[in-house]
Amino acid sequence: MLIPQELPYQRVLLDSLVVAVTFAITSFFIRTLRIKRAGERLPPGPPGHWLFGHVLPRSHAAYHYSELGKSYGPVYTLRYGSKYVCVITGHRAANDIMVKQSHKLADRPRYIVAGEILSKGMRILATRAGDRLRRLRGSLHAILQPQASIAYVPMQMKHAQNYVLDILEAPEKHLTHAKRRINKGTARLGDALRPGAYLIESYPWLRYVPGMTSKLEMWHQEELNLYRGQVEAVKQRLAKNEVQPCFTTYLLEHQEESGLSDDELAYLAGSMFGAGSDTTSGVLGFFVMAAAKYPDTQRRVQAQLDAVIGQDRLPTFTDQDRLPEVWAYIEELFRWRPVAPAGISHAATEDVFWGDYVIPAGTEVVGCHWAIARDPDVFPDGDTFNPGRWLDDKGQMRTDLRFFNWGFGRRICPGQHLADRSLFITIALTLWAFDMSEDPAHPINTMAIKDGGLAHSEQFAVRFRPRVSELREKIASYQPEAE
Ligand code: HEM
């Protein structure tokens, strides 16, 4: 009988090394080939490094995407490591791809940082298409659909009144008044959602390197504790009958039928604050900026407010159909300074076709709002704030013009009705209450926009002059009622 000779230790080591190197070289070539082949059918983009692809812009990705659109057309492709990202900068292309083929683009890309580590899969914005997304969106729909939004009328009116009163008290803090609270989590999330923001997204094995994700894990725990604490506080007040109906009370009362776990519910309720407040407060900052910088546009809305409402009573939600100038102002704010300038990525679940090109299933696709809002074929003179572009010759809102402020298809913003109403009442009331003007000693730089997933202006000075007699008394004494 033959007894196998025991291999010397060095031999085993050498053989293992050869196997490992061969494996690494083969996977490297297969990967490079795969990257190359997938890229062949995609719309072309700027040249990048043969292995690492493109470099993430240091700041303001939206401007960078827009500039590239001028050279590479309305749809082009970037690559971060082995991940392709198709960027849409043209209005028509956005409609052809994101709207007409939206059923193929309901997914989000795999977000290792934003989705798996920071949110443990519970944040709706980063949730992949599937059952959990259906449950989360279903719960939100019940609370945020247009009919349900009416329940928030008294609260929204009260907030709008407080905004005006706060400005009367401390006009220099107008940006702070618009912000109900600062959400660290939203800023971290916005950062992590940028294509190519974290190396882990392109090289997932990096997450297993010790210490690589410890800060991210800590951020998640911090956020989860905050959200759990908020739900606990609502539960306690609910038990004592001390709480008004809100998102959280609805979710708690319907938890069994929605099938949400305690932490999913806490995340859904908690992240709604960020989704809602950080977005609308950004718009209000740009609203004040536009009003001061473009006084003629301000006067035009005020003329309609005076004609429809006069100065003896406050504008309310019941006036909304008679104030198209206010709606046009809001629509132009969305276009002029989009809330999510670089857009939020979707992922293709099937091949998407655009002209002779194919965007293969699995590719990340992002509509850059900043660029689409400046497509000269649809929005000529796009850098100018001009609400009149949204009105027809009868002064009514045009039905043939559209901007994709709320995003696209099956991932469209579920909070749009609530946000629209909040902005309507706050903007109508503020334009009714004040003349806003630029301080010649401190000119406003309209391009002073903070870098981040959601647009916010840098600090700027504005003069507020009450245009209604006894403004404080009128605002403070009004008692909002449900519609
Ligand atoms: C001016 C205000 C707002 C703007 C401009 C805005 C815009 C957006 C955009 C562009 C998206 C991404 C859509 C896409 O992927 O195509 C989005 C998603 C979302 N928004 Fe808003 N939003 C606003 C306010 C709100 C409010 C008030 C809420 C809730 C209270 C909300 C909740 C959400 C949620 C949950 C998502 C994720 C949807 C999903 O991934 O399926 N948003 N929003």
Side-chain angles (χ1 to χ4, degrees):
M1 193 169 124
L2 265 172
I3 300 171
Q5 217 181 346
E6 205 171 286
L7 288 174
Y9 171 69
Q10 288 91 337
R11 177 76 196 279
V12 175
L13 200 68
L14 194 70
D15 280 358
S16 316
L17 204 67
V18 169
V19 170
V21 170
T22 317
F23 179 73
I25 293 176
T26 319
S27 359
F28 173 77
F29 278 112
I30 292 176
R31 182 169 169 274
T32 314
L33 205 70
R34 241 194 6 231
I35 294 174
K36 197 166 171 300
R37 289 195 58 188
E40 274 162 9
R41 299 147 66 191
L42 280 158
H49 186 275
W50 67 275
L51 179 59
F52 301 115
H54 297 92
V55 182
L56 181 77
R58 271 176 208 275
S59 68
H60 291 99
Y63 306 162
H64 180 73
Y65 289 161
S66 303
E67 277 311 305
L68 288 177
K70 289 177 191 159
S71 309
Y72 294 94
V75 187
Y76 58 85
T77 308
L78 300 175
R79 179 166 65 80
Y80 299 104
S82 57
K83 273 181 74 172
Y84 282 103
V85 182
C86 237
V87 183
I88 304 174
T89 57
H91 191 279
R92 192 169 164 187
N95 200 46
D96 288 348
I97 295 173
M98 304 298 279
V99 179
K100 291 190 185 154
Q101 301 184 65
S102 64
H103 57 289
K104 304 175 184 173
L105 286 156
D107 203 5
R108 294 273 185 227
R110 180 182 178 197
Y111 283 119
I112 298 178
V113 174
E116 295 173 20
I117 305 177
L118 278 181
S119 326
K120 295 283 178 265
M122 291 183 286
R123 191 190 302 270
I124 180 168
L125 189 73
T127 302
R128 311 286 313 257
D131 184 52
R132 179 181 259 177
L133 180 69
R134 264 191 298 280
R135 277 188 291 128
L136 293 173
R137 282 198 72 110
S139 296
L140 281 187
H141 178 73
I143 327 169
L144 296 172
Q145 55 163 312
Q147 238 6 62
S149 304
I150 294 172
Y152 306 112
V153 163
M155 194 172 64
Q156 289 179 313
M157 186 71 200
K158 200 80 218 154
H159 275 273
Q161 289 168 264
N162 288 341
Y163 178 63
V164 171
L165 290 174
D166 286 348
I167 290 178
L168 273 172
E169 213 53 55
E172 72 288 353
K173 292 194 188 150
H174 65 96
L175 287 177
T176 320
H177 302 324
K179 249 183 232 160
R180 290 279 122 196
R181 54 186 224 130
I182 296 161
N183 191 328
K184 267 194 275 176
T186 318
R188 289 167 182 166
L189 175 81
D191 194 47
L193 288 173
R194 290 176 307 148
Y198 280 87
L199 220 54
I200 292 184
E201 306 291 353
S202 301
Y203 306 99
W205 52 268
L206 280 175
R207 72 187 292 183
Y208 302 110
V209 173
M212 195 72 179
T213 60
S214 41
K215 190 170 69 180
L216 301 169
E217 294 287 355
M218 192 186 75
W219 286 350
H220 163 69
Q221 207 48 52
E222 212 177 82
E223 189 173 52
L224 184 61
N225 290 345
L226 171 75
Y227 294 163
R228 280 177 178 163
Q230 284 171 336
V231 172
E232 200 42 49
V234 173
K235 270 186 187 166
Q236 284 174 10
R237 281 163 51 206
L238 201 60
K240 291 190 218 151
N241 245 338
E242 283 175 358
V243 67
Q244 296 249 343
C246 66
F247 281 158
T248 315
T249 54
Y250 178 91
L251 292 176
L252 284 169
E253 280 158 8
H254 295 80
Q255 186 170 7
E256 210 175 299
E257 59 197 81
S258 68
L260 298 178
S261 71
D262 286 352
D263 281 350
E264 277 178 331
L265 186 148
Y267 242 91
L268 190 58
S271 54
M272 281 309 95
F273 286 102
S277 64
D278 224 22
T279 45
T280 40
S281 65
V283 180
L284 286 181
F286 291 117
F287 151 63
V288 172
M289 178 188 272
K293 201 72 193 172
Y294 295 87
D296 292 349
T297 65
Q298 187 186 167
R299 270 179 221 117
R300 199 172 139 164
V301 194
Q302 286 166 338
Q304 187 166 75
L305 284 164
D306 288 348
V308 173
I309 287 143
Q311 301 203 340
D312 291 336
R313 69 168 182 91
L314 276 56
T316 65
F317 281 105
T318 48
D319 301 309
Q320 54 179 316
D321 294 341
R322 292 180 297 156
L323 295 171
E325 291 279 351
V326 176
W327 286 114
Y329 216 83
I330 294 173
E331 211 57 47
E332 181 65 350
L333 281 169
F334 290 155
R335 187 205 66 77
W336 185 60
R337 293 290 178 264
V339 170
I344 296 179
S345 292
H346 291 220
T349 46
E350 296 171 40
D351 287 358
V352 172
F353 300 97
W354 186 70
D356 293 337
Y357 298 107
V358 181
I359 302 169
T363 311
E364 182 169 342
V365 183
V366 66
C368 173
H369 291 212
W370 181 271
I372 296 168
R374 279 155 182 74
D375 183 332
D377 292 341
V378 184
F379 303 114
D381 195 13
D383 286 329
T384 303
F385 180 77
N386 171 18
R389 71 172 88 233
W390 294 96
L391 296 167
D392 63 18
D393 48 11
K394 294 197 183 72
Q396 296 301 317
M397 285 298 282
R398 280 173 62 179
T399 48
D400 60 335
L401 192 60
R402 162 168 199 213
F403 174 57
F404 307 103
N405 179 53
W406 307 108
F408 304 96
R410 298 189 184 173
R411 301 308 288 249
I412 203 157
C413 174
Q416 58 181 296
H417 308 292
L418 188 74
D420 244 349
R421 293 170 68 89
S422 255
L423 288 169
F424 167 80
I425 201 62
T426 313
I427 288 177
L429 195 62
T430 311
L431 283 167
W432 176 85
F434 298 111
D435 278 325
M436 287 160 266
S437 59
E438 193 174 13
D439 177 353
H442 302 282
I444 299 171
N445 172 6
T446 59
M447 282 303 288
I449 303 170
K450 289 183 185 162
D451 187 27
L454 297 176
H456 285 270
S457 72
E458 297 283 0
Q459 200 64 39
F460 63 95
V462 168
R463 289 168 166 174
F464 292 89
R465 192 180 61 80
R467 57 185 296 278
V468 171
S469 63
E470 293 161 14
L471 177 61
R472 189 187 306 274
E473 293 70 24
K474 281 180 187 156
I475 297 275
S477 64
Y478 181 79
Q479 288 302 326
E481 288 169 21
E483 268 178 11

